């Protein structure tokens, strides 16, 4: 895993390089927020978390990056339409900071993990993400906490 050191460009959906930039944005709080509509929502089905709007997305990202500040998201395949996309991804990082998930605490020992998942997203007329829903196997991450 090699973390991206510089924030990616803020692109609108449909622009060349969107998926690469959006994946890289998951390592940069303010850049990621810019990809979303002001009232956009992010839902993580594995942890049963939904946040709406830039302020709440910022709070979510503080926890997310506190847990694994050098994590990466790489979109590997996607199907795009005018109104949104479905994308497969790989989320990789290490257990560096605090996180509680399903009653368990991360070990904060730097141990690595790699998770595969899928996102279903809609976009607004301005090319910003309106809804983003992630599906992934939380038990896979929890197994790295029980080693």
């Amino acid at each position: 895993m090699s973390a991206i050191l510089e924030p990616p460009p803020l692109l609108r959906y449909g622009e060349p390089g969107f998926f690469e930039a959006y994946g890289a944005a998951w390592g940069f709080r303010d850049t990621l927020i810019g990809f979303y509509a002001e009232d956009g929502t992010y839902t993580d089905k594995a942890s049963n978390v939904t946040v709406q709007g830039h302020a709440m997305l910022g709070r979510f990202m503080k926890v997310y990056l506190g847990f694994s500040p050098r994590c990466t998201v790489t979109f590997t395949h996607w199907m795009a339409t005018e109104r949104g996309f479905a994308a497969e991804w790989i989320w990789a990082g290490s257990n560096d900071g605090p996180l509680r998930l399903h009653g368990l605490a991360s070990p904060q020992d730097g141990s690595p993990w790699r998770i595969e998942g899928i996102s279903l997203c809609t976009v607004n007329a301005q090319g910003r993400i309106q809804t983003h829903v992630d599906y992934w196997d939380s038990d896979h991450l929890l197994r790295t906490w029980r080693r």
Side-chain angles (χ1 to χ4, degrees), residues 12-92:
R12 294 182 187 279
Y13 178 70
E15 290 185 299
F18 171 82
F19 288 99
E20 294 81 3
Y22 182 47
W26 282 89
F28 301 91
R29 178 188 171 275
D30 294 334
T31 303
L32 180 77
I33 291 168
F35 276 85
Y36 281 76
E38 280 289 328
D39 63 344
T41 62
Y42 170 76
T43 300
D44 179 40
K45 291 291 191 173
S47 61
N48 198 30
V49 168
T50 297
V51 295
Q52 182 173 20
H54 285 187
M56 293 303 292
L57 187 56
R59 289 179 62 191
F60 171 82
M61 287 300 293
K62 182 177 179 183
V63 171
Y64 171 89
L65 290 172
F67 162 61
S68 190
R70 292 174 305 282
C71 67
T72 61
V73 174
T74 304
F75 290 105
T76 57
H77 300 93
W78 53 84
M79 293 177 36
T81 71
E82 185 177 295
R83 298 180 55 183
F85 59 93
E88 293 179 57
W89 45 257
I90 297 170
W91 178 39

Side-chain angles (χ1 to χ4, degrees), residues 13-14 18-19 79-86 120-132:
Y13 178 70
F18 171 82
F19 288 99
M79 293 177 36
T81 71
E82 185 177 295
R83 298 180 55 183
F85 59 93
L120 301 176
C121 302
T122 63
V123 296
N124 66 18
Q126 293 74 42
R128 298 294 180 224
I129 295 169
Q130 192 63 53
T131 62
H132 177 126

